Amino acid sequence: MNKILQVKLNFRGEDNKSKPGLRKLRKGNQTSAEKMDALCEDLQGILRFYENSPQFLENILIDVNYNDIIAKSNRIHALLKPSGKQTNDMVVGARFSDAPEGQENHIITYYINKKTVQDTIANLKKIKQFLKDKLNGKATEDNFNKQDNELNYAGYELSKSKIRDIIVDCSVVESFSVPHITGVPDRESVLVTFYKTELSASKLLEKLKVDDMRHRYYFYGEDTISVDKELYNFLEENVPYMISMVSSDFSKITLEDIKQEADNRKMEIPDPDIEPTIGVIDTLFDEDVYFGKWVENHDYLDDIEKMMLDGRASNSRYHGTTISSLIVDGPVLNPWLDDGCGRFRVRHFGVCAERISTVKLMQKVREIVTKNPDIHVWNLSLGTDDEVSKNFISYDAAILDQLQAQKNIIFVISGTNDNRSERREILRVGSPADSLNALVVNSVRRDETPASYSRKGNILSFFNKPDVSYYGGDYNERITVYTPEGMMDEYGTSFAAPWISRKLCYLIDIMGMPREVAKALIIDSAAGWQYKLGAYRNKDISGYGVVPIKITDILSSANGEIRFILYGTSRKYKTVNYAIPVPRDDENKYPFVARATMCYFPECTRAQGVDYTNRELSLKFGRIKKDGTIDDINVNVQDEEGAYTDERQSRKDFRKWENTKFISKILKNNRALKSYGERLWGISIISKERLSSQMKKELNFGVVITLKEINDINRIDDFIKACSLKGLLVSEIDIQNNINIYHMNQEEVIFD
């Protein structure tokens, strides 16, 4: 086996030098005078709707129904453009249409003043006349795009660029409409989030004259409120167009109905020493178990919660105790799952007995994480029964994503269980398993097939969740845990997640890796070379695959492979290095196939709906061609001059806007790759911002690259030598050496 290498590259930042020209119709798009009439009618109908509705808002909310999944650069520019502002700055939400998967289109919500709508109607009428006069009533690629088609734009009271922008805008818009919410969970209490306007949720309830004595509700921020079913029905009847998101308001754990008799054999464990600590946020913990000294316990309940706990104390400590038992002593309880990571200490925060308000849980999580900055890995195995929405991230997942974007932490979250007695179709995961920055874990059986209770992704019809899978048992194939009564056998995604928490903590705290690299290593080890070949069938259930049991398998590679990690920071439009010295064979060719995995933790905006992530890092890796560009192993051409990819293709083929990028050549009958003269291999990371008003920030990324020699010849020494000759710092990741360094760093120094 070869050790993983760490290569320190000198990344260079490059600015975006491309300049936008006059907009053209996209391939296959067109627009007509009749389309102008239809859009005018839509807008006039919207104005009439708001004139006949109670006037609560200064402006009006409008849905723009696009005819495709649309890139930010292809959204409307001139339609609904307020004076002195950009239309994109008026976006307050985004979702997908209800079409079948793969055929859905964008619906983007804008908050616009009435005068802008009236001006847009007037402009559409002028464009209708232009189309009739100049283009026989219809703009197409042939008569609108070509340079030699000289059109006279004078006489329509609009500039040339304005006319062209409106025509291009209309070619991607299907219709305009008033917003409406769909897919509301049938629960007694729900979280309602309103579109962001000048009117807060509290002011809205005042204007609606909601009876405080009749309805139960709680405010969480300016735009989110927890309401009972009766109040929700009232809101839906009176201001349906103002409701942006509705989700479940309770996280819970579900305990099995059938319990096996506990095994009360005496267990022994040494006292804790300097082992790293994992944070657990769960139900309460029983301090009387044999590993109690390894757990720093905090019952994180307020006085009301403690009063409600009376009579349920024993049951309330069951789930939390089992989770911490796996983190502390899982390999002793389950020898076949001995990962080689040793034991871990736990800082356990018992936040509930069995169920808790989602918002209250997140208030506790935010406070706990802020007060415990020394903990980098947090295990969270609470979740909701309700499926996550196809159109927005859950409230709790958004809070977790925000914490992970702002702090040096990572959450490991269970993929939630399907607890129904009959399962005719596979449910989507429940929140907070839709957290994009977290590592979400589903459960498999010993043969690596999905567990019977598994739920599925994707998230927002696109993001690849769960991330990975691990062994969590099944009804007749269980995981041994320790409970307040003794050892028992259990199953569930709750019992798969702690094993991944152990591995992440080992990589981050003992091996000293940045969380971006640690997450990429976990995902890359699960995907391997098989993901490209077959795992697409189950990726919505198993994610990138099953993580290896042994930590040594994650921190090594086969003799015929060169596996190395990179860590860097995106500061400009492009972050590049064109000097990675991949070894060549005797024929001056590259006898390798390659794969690469990249992870980063972007800021996100829940109010943007399906356009959730604010930052995109696009990955390219491959040989440097003679023109200085990268011959990407994934043929990523979305940012190349002259190439064309639409947003749907970019999301499907290149995972645009996803915060995990996995690219790989298919491993089969491969031949050596030709070299382009003396040029080497390169890596390019291109950054894009979703929101025009967002200030660019530095964003760290971690990359794991694997080169497999097609003839299984071990060329790792050649690679190390070539890196050294190029002045690159390259070092082997030695497990024992890193353990020694960890122990030295934990020693207490006493000065005389």
Side-chain angles (χ1 to χ4, degrees):
M1 301 291 284
N2 285 335
K3 295 177 181 177
I4 290 183
L5 305 175
Q6 179 174 341
V7 180
K8 293 186 178 180
L9 295 183
N10 293 318
F11 286 105
R12 187 175 80 248
E14 297 180 359
D15 293 324
N16 186 2
K17 298 178 182 177
S18 62
K19 296 181 179 180
L22 284 174
R23 294 173 72 202
K24 297 181 179 180
L25 291 174
R26 297 165 63 204
K27 186 176 181 180
N29 279 12
Q30 60 182 29
T31 195
S32 64
E34 290 77 15
K35 181 69 169 290
M36 303 301 113
D37 285 336
L39 295 180
C40 283
E41 189 174 329
D42 287 345
L43 293 175
Q44 288 164 346
I46 291 170
L47 288 176
R48 287 194 298 270
F49 171 85
Y50 283 106
E51 286 170 1
N52 295 325
S53 301
Q55 299 298 305
F56 296 118
L57 301 175
E58 294 179 3
N59 302 322
I60 60 178
L61 291 155
I62 296 179
D63 274 351
V64 177
N65 303 287
Y66 288 90
N67 57 19
D68 203 347
I69 293 179
I70 205 80
K72 171 187 162 184
S73 58
N74 290 324
R75 291 177 181 177
I76 56 174
H77 288 201
L79 293 176
L80 303 180
K81 182 183 181 304
S83 177
K85 296 182 180 179
Q86 299 298 317
T87 308
N88 203 50
D89 295 335
M90 303 295 107
V91 173
V92 293
R95 62 186 190 277
F96 287 137
S97 63
D98 293 330
E101 185 174 344
Q103 302 175 35
E104 59 274 270
N105 298 327
H106 255 125
I107 302 174
I108 298 180
T109 306
Y110 298 78
Y111 187 51
I112 304 291
N113 63 63
K114 291 181 181 179
K115 183 179 184 306
T116 297
V117 178
Q118 293 163 347
D119 290 344
T120 297
I121 293 171
N123 289 339
L124 285 170
K125 292 177 179 178
K126 296 171 185 175
I127 299 300
K128 173 186 175 182
Q129 193 60 47
F130 174 85
L131 291 174
K132 285 184 173 182
D133 294 344
K134 306 296 182 182
L135 298 172
N136 296 320
K138 181 182 291 185
T140 66
E141 288 181 83
D142 289 337
N143 66 13
F144 187 73
N145 285 1
K146 292 182 180 179
Q147 296 292 334
D148 55 359
N149 290 345
E150 289 296 332
L151 298 172
N152 184 359
Y153 295 89
Y156 296 92
E157 302 178 20
L158 299 171
S159 66
K160 175 181 177 180
S161 61
K162 184 91 166 182
I163 292 173
R164 293 188 66 91
D165 278 347
I166 293 176
I167 289 174
V168 174
D169 284 352
C170 292
S171 73
V172 297
V173 173
E174 190 72 32
S175 62
F176 299 109
S177 58
V178 176
H180 65 280
I181 189 73
T182 59
V184 178
D186 185 18
R187 289 288 182 265
E188 290 303 314
S189 178
V190 293
L191 280 176
V192 177
T193 300
F194 298 99
Y195 287 111
K196 190 172 184 61
T197 66
E198 78 286 344
L199 190 65
S200 66
S202 59
K203 291 293 185 184
L204 175 62
L205 293 196
E206 285 182 22
K207 286 179 176 289
L208 288 169
K209 298 180 180 179
V210 170
D211 187 348
D212 292 356
M213 302 298 294
R214 179 178 178 183
H215 298 290
R216 178 176 57 85
Y217 57 87
Y218 306 96
F219 295 109
Y220 300 105
E222 290 190 350
D223 56 3
T224 299
I225 181 174
S226 173
V227 301
D228 57 31
K229 192 170 185 178
E230 185 179 2
L231 179 52
Y232 174 75
N233 291 337
F234 174 81
L235 294 171
E236 187 180 37
E237 180 180 350
N238 288 275
V239 286
Y241 55 90
M242 293 182 64
I243 300 174
S244 172
M245 297 172 259
V246 182
S247 58
S248 176
D249 188 28
F250 280 100
S251 292
K252 62 180 291 187
I253 56 98
T254 302
L255 303 174
E256 289 182 74
D257 294 329
I258 301 174
K259 295 292 179 191
Q260 298 180 343
E261 187 175 343
D263 182 343
N264 291 311
R265 79 179 71 172
K266 185 177 180 180
M267 301 287 291
E268 294 183 353
I269 190 172
D271 288 344
D273 189 12
I274 57 172
E275 294 81 5
T277 300
I278 294 172
V280 172
I281 299 173
D282 211 280
T283 65
L284 306 180
F285 175 75
D286 189 329
E287 297 179 355
D288 293 331
V289 293
Y290 79 95
F291 58 93
K293 287 185 178 180
W294 286 74
V295 179
E296 179 187 327
N297 182 43
H298 302 270
D299 284 1
Y300 222 71
L301 305 179
D302 58 33
D303 292 339
I304 296 177
E305 290 170 324
K306 290 176 182 177
M307 290 174 58
M308 295 177 64
L309 187 61
D310 290 344
R312 294 184 295 158
S314 176
N315 202 43
S316 67
R317 298 185 185 276
Y318 183 93
H319 189 265
T321 304
T322 63
I323 298 302
S324 285
S325 75
L326 292 178
I327 291 176
V328 173
D329 215 20
V332 171
L333 297 169
N334 302 272
W336 72 280
L337 285 173
D338 187 355
D339 49 22
C341 295
R343 293 185 173 97
F344 294 85
R345 292 177 292 169
V346 169
R347 198 170 300 161
H348 189 109
F349 297 88
V351 296
C352 64
E354 182 179 349
R355 55 184 265 156
I356 184 174
S357 160
T358 297
V359 176
K360 194 167 190 177
L361 172 61
M362 287 303 109
Q363 289 174 333
K364 291 186 177 186
V365 168
R366 189 191 294 276
E367 186 175 287
I368 288 167
V369 167
T370 301
K371 290 182 177 179
N372 295 270
D374 58 312
I375 295 179
H376 303 119
V377 178
W378 292 89
N379 192 99
L380 183 60
S381 292
L382 302 174
T384 60
D385 287 335
D386 294 315
E387 294 180 290
V388 296
S389 172
K390 293 181 179 180
N391 286 315
F392 57 84
I393 292 292
S394 63
Y395 178 89
D396 38 345
I399 296 296
L400 297 180
D401 284 337
Q402 181 187 56
L403 289 170
Q404 290 169 104
Q406 296 172 352
K407 300 179 184 295
N408 184 28
I409 60 171
I410 181 169
F411 281 91
V412 180
I413 298 174
S414 59
T416 64
N417 302 334
D418 184 349
N419 299 305
R420 298 172 301 171
S421 57
E422 293 185 13
R423 304 172 184 134
R424 297 178 181 176
E425 75 290 329
I426 301 177
L427 289 178
R428 291 195 306 280
V429 297
S431 68
D434 52 337
S435 166
L436 297 192
N437 282 330
L439 195 57
V440 179
V441 185
N442 248 10
S443 180
V444 293
R445 299 166 59 88
R446 280 203 187 197
D447 62 2
E448 299 190 355
T449 57
S452 61
Y453 49 82
S454 294
R455 297 169 71 169
K456 67 177 182 178
N458 291 328
I459 303 303
L460 303 183
S461 304
F462 164 67
F463 294 99
N464 195 28
K465 292 285 175 177
D467 295 281
V468 296
S469 293
Y470 204 70
Y471 307 94
D474 215 329
Y475 180 76
N476 59 349
E477 188 183 276
R478 302 189 177 210
I479 299 297
T480 301
V481 298
Y482 205 87
T483 76
E485 288 80 36
M487 278 196 296
M488 286 189 184
D489 294 328
E490 279 280 14
Y491 64 92
T493 55
S494 289
F495 309 112
W499 299 97
I500 303 302
S501 295
R502 289 169 52 85
K503 288 177 168 61
L504 270 178
C505 187
Y506 189 92
L507 295 173
I508 294 171
D509 289 317
I510 295 180
M511 302 307 294
M513 294 180 178
R515 59 178 181 156
E516 293 82 3
V517 171
K519 183 179 180 182
L521 266 174
I522 293 288
I523 290 174
D524 185 78
S525 68
W529 300 106
Q530 295 75 36
Y531 182 75
K532 269 281 190 178
L533 286 172
Y536 282 114
R537 292 194 304 271
N538 290 323
K539 73 173 185 176
D540 58 342
I541 301 176
S542 300
Y544 285 98
V546 181
V547 179
I549 293 175
K550 296 291 185 182
I551 195 67
T552 50
D553 291 336
I554 297 174
L555 288 169
S556 62
S557 61
N559 285 335
E561 293 181 351
I562 302 169
R563 197 167 181 224
F564 59 98
I565 61 175
L566 306 172
Y567 181 69
T569 303
S570 170
R571 297 183 176 91
K572 290 192 173 184
Y573 170 71
K574 187 181 288 189
T575 303
V576 298
N577 184 286
Y578 299 124
I580 301 175
V582 175
R584 289 179 249 198
D585 61 17
D586 295 337
E587 298 180 358
N588 203 33
K589 293 182 177 180
Y590 294 111
F592 292 99
V593 289
R595 73 172 190 260
T597 304
M598 178 175 70
C599 290
Y600 57 98
F601 292 77
E603 295 273 2
C604 304
T605 301
R606 184 172 183 251
Q608 291 292 310
V610 293
D611 292 346
Y612 177 60
T613 48
N614 294 353
R615 187 87 169 266
E616 149 75 358
L617 295 185
S618 175
L619 172 67
K620 288 186 180 182
F621 174 70
R623 295 165 293 162
I624 305 299
K625 296 186 288 189
K626 291 182 179 180
D627 62 359
T629 61
I630 293 176
D631 187 5
D632 178 51
I633 63 173
N634 197 39
V635 199
N636 185 350
V637 297
Q638 59 180 321
D639 299 303
E640 292 185 8
E641 188 175 348
Y644 173 77
T645 57
D646 62 24
E647 186 76 357
R648 194 184 299 271
Q649 180 187 357
S650 292
R651 294 186 181 207
K652 179 182 177 181
D653 296 341
F654 309 124
R655 312 308 297 168
K656 185 178 179 183
W657 300 111
E658 181 155 12
N659 55 344
T660 293
K661 298 293 193 298
F662 177 84
I663 59 176
S664 176
K665 282 290 187 182
I666 294 178
L667 189 62
K668 49 184 182 179
N669 298 323
N670 298 100
R671 292 179 294 179
L673 302 170
K674 71 175 183 178
S675 61
Y676 296 100
E678 295 303 313
R679 295 184 180 274
L680 305 175
W681 286 48
I683 182 170
S684 168
I685 294 161
I686 293 178
S687 172
K688 303 183 187 75
E689 296 275 359
R690 177 98 69 179
L691 306 177
S692 57
S693 58
Q694 174 122 355
M695 295 295 293
K696 281 202 170 186
K697 300 178 182 178
E698 293 184 353
L699 183 60
N700 297 330
F701 58 84
V703 184
V704 179
I705 293 174
T706 308
L707 303 169
K708 183 171 180 59
E709 221 277 357
I710 59 176
N711 302 305
D712 278 336
I713 298 173
N714 196 344
R715 299 182 185 271
I716 193 168
D717 290 337
D718 296 337
F719 179 73
I720 294 173
K721 181 179 179 181
C723 286
S724 299
L725 290 173
K726 286 290 181 182
L728 302 178
L729 292 177
V730 57
S731 57
E732 293 181 334
I733 295 178
D734 186 285
I735 295 177
Q736 188 57 51
N737 184 56
N738 281 66
I739 291 175
N740 293 338
I741 293 173
Y742 173 79
H743 279 267
M744 290 173 60
N745 289 337
Q746 301 303 311
E747 289 181 359
E748 184 177 354
V749 179
I750 300 176
F751 295 96
D752 293 332

